């Protein structure tokens, strides 16, 4: 759940730049009103401190905790239908109702929040696998707005030289986001300019031929097929995208016209992905790969949306949220898929 970018610990007074989306503090879990519970279908790890707390319980709750916690693997034992054993039929948490939020393990307490620490920079956000987070992101069609605050801290900070200087990476992300928000150009042209800029920064060259949309569609599907599937539906989705390529490419202009100003959702999605994933380049030095990943996720979301529109003749905000949160689970919440997708797209698009 948390993207903690860490390194060698050195205690010192730290002047930190904290960045978060403008909706960050507005987030509130929908709990029983959520249509897609994060307490179903996810392995739930238990941190050391919480495990000790559970082991020290000696009331009626301790019997159920003993039965449904794996002490060796430090995780909850899910029910046969992959539900957290403490998820009630009304969608509420038995642990919270019985003992309060202090009984939650760290992953349950923090989800869907993510954090990234690189040098003296600290990012905070909420993951798009959560429908409330996605709802907040797409609340309006204005460009992504980030709140930047300076804060002095005297703590054990995490530092590592990495492969990219943190300040350089931070400024590179800022310039990338600035280019993405330039609506005087088409999103395609903005993406092309960013690829050129990142190629120049990372490899010292800019001459590359961006594939046609027809070619890019094939590249995207082939790359996505190499990723690990979240569930059977993703296999079905890729099959539909393969079999209905002509329909997807033919219907995209009608879909864009139908969306009107809401076509800005794809700019906003791409911007938010860049905000979240760029800091990870501090260790592998591959900002270009991170951008490839972000473009790939945005593009497959777009084409999946086009097909849904072509089938139903409509596409509303609920469809937008469902599409984004599902593909976030498929690509973002996997240890392997971000690298698989980015490497495949770099190789096929940029010949790198």
């Amino acid at each position: 759940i948390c993207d903690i970018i860490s390194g060698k610990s050195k205690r010192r007074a730290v002047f930190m730049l904290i960045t978060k989306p403008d909706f960050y503090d507005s987030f509130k879990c929908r709990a029983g009103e959520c249509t897609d519970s994060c307490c179903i279908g996810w392995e739930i790890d238990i941190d050391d401190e919480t495990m000790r707390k559970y082991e020290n319980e000696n009331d009626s709750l301790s019997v159920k905790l003993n039965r449904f916690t794996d002490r060796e693997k430090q995780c909850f034992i899910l029910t046969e239908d992959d539900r957290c054993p403490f998820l009630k039929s009304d969608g509420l948490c038995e642990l919270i109702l019985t003992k309060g939020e202090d009984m939650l393990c760290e992953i349950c307490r923090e989800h869907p929040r993510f954090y990234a620490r690189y040098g003296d920079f600290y990012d905070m956000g909420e993951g798009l696998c959560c429908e409330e987070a996605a709802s907040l992101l797409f609340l309006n069609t204005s460009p992504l707005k980030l709140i930047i605050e300076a804060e002095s801290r005297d703590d054990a900070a995490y530092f590592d030289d990495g492969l990219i200087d943190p300040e350089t990476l931070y400024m590179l992300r800022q310039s990338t986001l600035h280019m993405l928000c330039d609506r005087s150009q088409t999103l395609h042209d903005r993406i092309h300019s960013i690829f050129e800029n990142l190629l120049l920064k990372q490899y010292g060259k800019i001459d590359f031929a961006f594939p046609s949309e027809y070619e890019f569609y094939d590249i995207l599907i082939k790359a996505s097929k190499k990723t690990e599937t979240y569930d059977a539906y993703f296999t079905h989705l890729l099959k539909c995208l393969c079999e209905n390529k002509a329909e997807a490419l033919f219907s995209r202009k009608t879909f864009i016209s139908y969306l009107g100003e809401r076509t800005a959702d794809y700019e906003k999605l791409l911007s938010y992905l860049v905000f979240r994933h760029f800091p990870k380049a501090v260790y592998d030095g591959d900002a270009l790969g991170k951008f490839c990943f972000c473009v790939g996720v945005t593009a497959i979301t777009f084409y999946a949306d086009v097909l849904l529109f072509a089938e139903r003749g409509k596409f509303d905000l609920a469809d937008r949220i469902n599409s984004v949160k599902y593909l976030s689970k498929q690509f973002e919440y996997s240890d392997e898929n971000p690298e698989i997708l980015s490497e495949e797209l770099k190789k096929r698009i940029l010949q790198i």
Side-chain angles (χ1 to χ4, degrees):
I1 297 302
C2 301
D3 302 323
I4 305 297
I5 298 180
S6 60
K8 301 171 185 176
S9 179
K10 301 177 182 178
R11 181 172 292 277
R12 69 170 187 175
V14 182
F15 187 76
M16 295 187 60
L17 214 56
I18 300 172
T19 307
K20 61 186 178 182
D22 62 345
F23 57 81
Y24 181 83
D25 294 325
S26 301
F27 177 82
K28 184 178 180 181
C29 177
R30 292 183 176 182
E33 296 179 5
C34 185
T35 64
D36 183 25
S37 176
C38 55
C39 306
I40 302 174
W42 295 85
E43 181 178 294
I44 306 171
D45 295 328
I46 305 172
D47 55 283
D48 293 341
E49 182 179 347
T50 305
M51 182 60 80
R52 287 192 294 270
K53 184 185 298 183
Y54 290 170
E55 289 172 344
N56 291 331
E57 282 293 309
N58 57 8
D59 55 14
S60 58
L61 189 61
S62 64
V63 176
K64 190 169 183 178
L65 282 168
N66 286 330
R67 181 183 174 192
F68 287 104
T69 54
D70 186 320
R71 302 300 171 90
E72 183 177 342
K73 295 181 180 179
Q74 288 202 190
C75 63
F76 286 111
I77 300 171
L78 302 183
T79 62
E80 290 184 359
D81 52 356
D82 279 343
R83 295 169 64 92
C84 172
F86 296 96
L87 178 64
K88 294 169 62 66
S89 59
D90 58 6
L92 299 179
C93 175
E94 182 180 351
L95 290 173
I96 294 178
L97 294 174
T98 306
K99 293 276 191 171
E101 291 192 13
D102 287 344
M103 277 299 284
L104 293 179
C105 58
E106 182 180 19
I107 200 169
C108 292
R109 187 169 59 250
E110 293 292 340
H111 184 77
R113 299 170 186 85
F114 62 84
Y115 309 98
R117 178 70 185 272
Y118 48 113
D120 294 339
F121 300 92
Y122 190 77
D123 296 340
M124 308 161 65
E126 282 116 7
L128 296 179
C129 67
C130 169
E131 65 184 45
E132 175 62 11
S135 298
L136 290 170
L137 177 65
F138 299 115
L139 200 58
N140 55 59
T141 58
S142 60
L144 176 67
K145 182 178 179 182
L146 298 175
I147 306 297
I148 302 173
E149 302 170 340
E151 183 176 315
S152 180
R153 292 187 178 183
D154 182 12
D155 61 0
Y158 292 99
F159 298 96
D160 197 301
D161 293 337
L163 295 179
I164 298 182
D165 172 68
E167 184 174 356
T168 300
L169 180 61
Y170 179 85
M171 295 306 297
L172 184 60
R173 185 182 69 179
Q174 291 298 95
S175 65
T176 299
L177 291 173
H178 180 74
M179 294 170 74
L180 277 175
C181 292
D182 180 9
R183 295 183 177 178
S184 65
Q185 302 181 66
T186 66
L187 184 56
H188 176 276
D189 288 344
R190 284 175 265 173
I191 291 172
H192 190 281
S193 296
I194 292 168
F195 270 128
E196 287 187 334
N197 184 53
L198 293 176
L199 272 168
L200 181 62
K201 299 283 188 184
Q202 197 163 315
Y203 293 100
K205 66 175 186 176
I206 62 172
D207 56 334
F208 79 103
F210 202 79
S212 67
E213 184 174 13
Y214 189 91
E215 293 170 324
F216 176 73
Y217 190 97
D218 286 339
I219 290 170
L220 181 66
I221 302 306
K222 288 177 182 177
S224 298
K225 282 182 175 180
K226 291 183 177 291
T227 62
E228 295 187 354
T229 56
Y230 171 70
D231 60 14
Y233 176 73
F234 187 67
T235 303
H236 170 72
L237 175 60
L238 289 181
K239 185 172 183 289
C240 289
L241 287 168
C242 286
E243 294 175 351
N244 297 280
K245 175 182 177 180
E247 178 70 28
L249 295 177
F250 176 79
S251 299
R252 69 173 185 81
K253 289 186 177 179
T254 305
F255 178 58
I256 290 171
S257 177
Y258 173 84
L259 287 179
E261 65 177 11
R262 293 232 62 111
T263 56
D265 287 349
Y266 298 102
E267 169 206 304
K268 207 162 192 179
L269 172 59
L270 180 53
S271 296
Y272 196 68
L273 292 172
V274 166
F275 164 69
R276 177 170 188 174
H277 293 282
F278 249 49
K280 299 173 185 178
V282 76
Y283 285 122
D284 62 14
D286 191 15
L288 181 62
K290 303 300 175 285
F291 188 65
C292 281
F293 170 73
C294 297
V295 169
V297 174
T298 303
I300 200 165
T301 302
F302 172 73
Y303 289 121
D305 295 348
V306 171
L307 283 186
L308 183 62
F309 169 75
E311 177 186 340
R312 297 171 50 196
K314 63 178 184 177
F315 189 87
D316 57 25
L317 185 58
D319 296 322
R320 154 69 53 248
I321 293 166
N322 286 334
S323 174
V324 166
K325 72 179 182 182
Y326 176 77
L327 289 168
S328 173
K329 293 175 185 177
Q330 164 63 29
F331 290 107
E332 292 190 277
Y333 287 81
S334 162
D335 292 333
E336 296 82 15
N337 286 349
E339 183 175 358
I340 293 172
L341 189 63
S342 66
E343 289 302 313
E344 285 296 314
L345 293 180
K346 277 175 58 181
K347 180 172 62 178
R348 296 175 181 276
I349 295 175
L350 307 172
Q351 287 82 52
I352 293 175

